[in-house]
Amino acid sequence: MKKMSRAALVGAAAVSSVVLVSAPAFAHVSVQPEGAAAKGGYAVVDFKVPNERDDAATTKLEVNLPTDHPLASVMPQPIPGWKAEVTKAKLDKPMEMHGEKITEAVSKVTWTATGSGADKGVQPGYFQKFPVSVGALPTDADELVFKAIQTYSDKEVVRWIEPQQKGQEEPENPAPVLALTAAADDEHGASGASDDDHGDDKEATAASATSSDGSDSDTTARVLGIVGIVIGAAGVAFGVLAGRRRTAN
């Protein structure tokens, strides 16, 4: 119970920390990978768009992709109530991907709210995630900077395009930044471990747990057996002594 209480306290503290740290960053457009964004691999990233207004909805989002590290493969995931448009641009310098020469890459993805009525777009007090599959991620960079433009239903436009300068405070309208992790074992950003390997690990863990449980059970049984023998011997000794007293009387 003490261990469980300590774990619960630690978990509550961790959650509180996440909430406190994340609260200030929630106010602007940000980007986070679903899993890891490994250098040289592919990843699904979510552009998170909160609505900061009380009287207007977010009806459009434009995300400009980095030109210094062009991404040859960019595929937005369909989102109900939104139309996605992918814009390509010719590269100044062709790049090679899977043995093929690429002369153009996606330069911008634009999402526009469809339909009509008061529920169109991202309403006040809500946020929307815009998932995109991107790759191959560069191997010579630690992060990718995207410039996002958020448009509201009252025609207000907020440009999240300011880069974070090292050693300085966060700008008023920071651009979304995707942090890249170390290159993985394969080109798709996988860890390199197969399902069979994980299955073997699980079986070994289960076998170890079973062995441990069996050992504990054997120890308990032996202790109980010894206790039983001692009690039995004491009973026999008591009976013998009682018989001798009767004979003596």
Side-chain angles (χ1 to χ4, degrees), residues 210-224:
T210 302
S211 176
S212 177
D213 293 342
S215 177
D216 294 340
S217 299
D218 291 342
T219 301
T220 302
R222 289 173 183 172
V223 171
L224 291 176

Side-chain angles (χ1 to χ4, degrees), residues 12-14 18-19 31 50 60 72 101-102 118 124 130 150 176 190 205 214 238 240 242-243:
V18 170
V19 172
V31 59
K60 186 178 181 180
K101 183 176 292 186
I102 306 298
F130 297 85
Q150 183 178 11
T205 302
F238 180 79
V240 171

